[in-house]
Amino acid sequence: MQQEFMARAIELSRLGMRAGKGGPFGAVIVRGDEIVAEGHNEVFLRKDPTAHAEVVAIRRAAAKLDHFRLEGCEIYTSCEPCPMCLAAIYWARIEKIHFANTADDARRIAFDDRDFYQEMKLPRAERQVPSQQLLREPALAVFREWQGKADRVDY
């Protein structure tokens, strides 16, 4: 089944690309032997820089399963996930990643995310996009309130 799931992710990458909806990327989320959700890159279609295939598939899977944790699921993606998608996969608690093309393959067609990986390793003060901390104490008060909620749902 693994090859069929990957073949579907690759086909989705082709369909989305040919339809002009986004770059050549597709993803399938599977639980057991069942496809839970599919997605292809929809960055152009939605005018949304976060609408990568993996994120689209995660959003659809979470909606279908009615839960933000996708435990017991695996993702098949036509390319090794970028930093954003990798983080989304971890937050969704997906248990395994299967990929076809590598990040180096993507770099060769001008989808190069090496700079993002390098930026994340730098201290905040050295990053290209400046950041500034404001109003920490009021924000910490909200965190303390969250900690004290009897009905909070931990991620």
Side-chain angles (χ1 to χ4, degrees):
M1 296 292 293
Q2 289 183 335
Q3 290 189 7
E4 290 87 359
F5 295 143
M6 185 59 74
R8 180 61 183 157
I10 293 167
E11 181 61 17
L12 288 164
S13 73
R14 179 179 289 111
L15 291 170
M17 174 195 64
R18 287 183 178 170
K21 295 180 179 179
F25 304 97
V28 174
I29 296 178
V30 172
R31 183 186 282 172
D33 290 335
E34 177 189 349
I35 293 177
V36 175
E38 302 179 334
H40 55 69
N41 186 292
E42 296 182 0
V43 169
F44 305 155
L45 173 69
R46 300 195 181 283
K47 297 170 184 58
D48 176 355
T50 69
H52 290 199
E54 297 90 338
V55 172
V56 169
I58 287 168
R59 289 173 179 163
R60 290 177 179 161
K64 181 175 181 180
L65 297 175
D66 196 30
H67 206 278
F68 59 89
R69 285 180 172 242
L70 302 181
E71 292 165 332
C73 292
E74 299 183 7
I75 190 165
Y76 291 78
T77 180
S78 64
C79 188
E80 189 174 2
C82 75
M84 176 185 68
C85 293
L86 186 59
I89 289 165
Y90 274 85
W91 274 111
R93 306 300 197 261
I94 291 174
E95 296 181 3
K96 188 169 185 180
I97 301 167
H98 306 267
F99 63 92
N101 291 316
T102 67
D104 285 337
D105 295 330
R107 179 182 49 77
R108 285 191 278 280
I109 64 162
F111 289 94
D112 189 357
D113 51 23
R114 288 179 299 181
D115 288 347
F116 299 136
Y117 278 109
Q118 294 306 314
E119 276 286 304
M120 286 187 264
K121 293 177 186 177
L122 295 174
R124 280 190 300 264
E126 295 177 24
R127 294 179 188 160
Q128 291 180 15
V129 177
S131 62
Q132 175 185 9
Q133 186 175 22
L134 298 169
L135 299 175
R136 181 170 183 237
E137 288 306 317
L140 281 173
V142 177
F143 274 13
R144 286 189 292 275
E145 184 177 338
W146 170 259
Q147 275 186 304
K149 278 179 61 78
D151 63 342
R152 83 168 185 246
V153 177
D154 291 328
Y155 289 41

